[in-house]
Amino acid sequence: CPSCMRQAAVGFQCPDCVAERPQKVVNSSQLFRGHSEVVVGKVIIAINVAAWVLMTVLSQNPYGAGGPVLEHGALYGPLVASGEWWRLVSGAFLHAGIFHLGMNMLLLWFLSQELEPALGRLRFAVLYVVSLLGGALGVMVLDPLAPTVGASGAVFGLMGALIVLQLRAKQNPWQSGIGGLVALNLVLTFLIPGISIGGHIGGLVAGAAAGALLQPLRW
């Protein structure tokens, strides 16, 4: 009867059913689920960290700013137009500071745990490359004269793909938290100076499009 029901966040629960339900113990391996299946994500993170270390060593700057790696690798429209096409890719593996690197790699790690086991290594790699190039295209269209670095365009693409895949699976991105995460990052993109609007929007759109086309190995 209603008088003996227990109120919960999503309605009411039967006390007998709650008592009979087995308790689930979550350990660290379950908390960081899928980490043993994440290979491509770890390789991408390793490349970003290695690029940061190389940039720091060659620039002789403890903060990693400047130096020949940044000079020859940052995404910059006029130099891409003159034939330095590798900047479309290399810029996404360089970062302007340790905090910039850390935040991008943290998001990349958590998104990799969700996406790589579901898509498989090859499809996840394709998704990352498409998102990266989409972010680079966004920079070239909206702000080609601003030297740009960072993996955030590709990370935005992963978030866009996760939203689309959840919608395809008839899940609610707002309930899972990814919808709010994307909304918050979009607000910060437009409010904080120095953040690449083109890179974030371009990556988000490209990743969402890839998420609509790629078929997961399992849902």
Side-chain angles (χ1 to χ4, degrees), residues 78-92:
L79 293 179
V80 173
S82 69
E84 298 184 12
W85 55 267
W86 64 84
R87 293 176 179 269
L88 295 170
V89 176
S90 62

Side-chain angles (χ1 to χ4, degrees), residues 112-125:
S112 297
Q113 291 181 77
E114 296 291 338
L115 288 165
E116 187 171 341
L119 291 172
R121 295 171 187 172
L122 179 58
R123 290 183 179 90
F124 179 74

Side-chain angles (χ1 to χ4, degrees), residues 12 19 22 26 53 74 86 177 184:
F12 294 91
V26 179
V53 172
W86 64 84
L184 174 62

Side-chain angles (χ1 to χ4, degrees), residues 1-218:
C1 64
S3 61
C4 59
M5 286 290 189
R6 296 181 183 177
Q7 187 170 4
V10 291
F12 294 91
Q13 296 178 338
C14 169
D16 294 333
C17 295
V18 172
E20 293 176 0
R21 182 182 304 155
Q23 298 299 310
K24 181 179 180 181
V25 178
V26 179
N27 56 37
S28 60
S29 63
Q30 292 169 321
L31 181 62
F32 294 95
R33 61 194 181 282
H35 70 92
S36 61
E37 300 178 72
V38 176
V39 175
V40 176
K42 290 177 181 177
V43 170
I44 295 171
I45 291 173
I47 294 173
N48 278 272
V49 173
W52 166 258
V53 172
L54 181 64
M55 187 169 62
T56 303
V57 171
L58 294 183
S59 67
Q60 297 182 342
N61 185 323
Y63 300 102
V69 176
L70 192 66
E71 180 182 346
H72 294 287
L75 177 58
Y76 184 54
L79 293 179
V80 173
S82 69
E84 298 184 12
W85 55 267
W86 64 84
R87 293 176 179 269
L88 295 170
V89 176
S90 62
F93 292 95
L94 304 178
H95 290 82
I98 189 65
F99 180 76
H100 188 205
L101 172 69
M103 290 302 297
N104 279 338
M105 294 304 100
L106 181 64
L107 278 173
L108 173 57
W109 171 242
F110 285 123
L111 290 165
S112 297
Q113 291 181 77
E114 296 291 338
L115 288 165
E116 187 171 341
L119 291 172
R121 295 171 187 172
L122 179 58
R123 290 183 179 90
F124 179 74
V126 170
L127 170 62
Y128 194 84
V129 171
V130 169
S131 300
L132 183 155
L133 293 177
L137 177 60
V139 171
M140 295 291 287
V141 171
L142 293 184
D143 203 4
L145 299 182
T148 304
V149 294
S152 54
V155 170
F156 260 82
L158 298 184
M159 291 192 289
L162 184 54
I163 285 181
V164 170
L165 287 169
Q166 288 186 353
L167 291 173
R168 289 174 61 189
K170 303 188 186 307
Q171 298 173 357
N172 189 336
W174 293 105
Q175 290 183 352
S176 70
I178 186 64
L181 181 63
V182 172
L184 174 62
N185 278 277
L186 283 175
V187 170
L188 295 177
T189 297
F190 286 95
L191 290 183
I192 299 178
I195 293 182
S196 175
I197 296 176
H200 288 186
I201 299 300
L204 182 65
V205 172
L213 295 175
L214 292 172
Q215 186 65 27
L217 296 178
R218 61 176 184 262

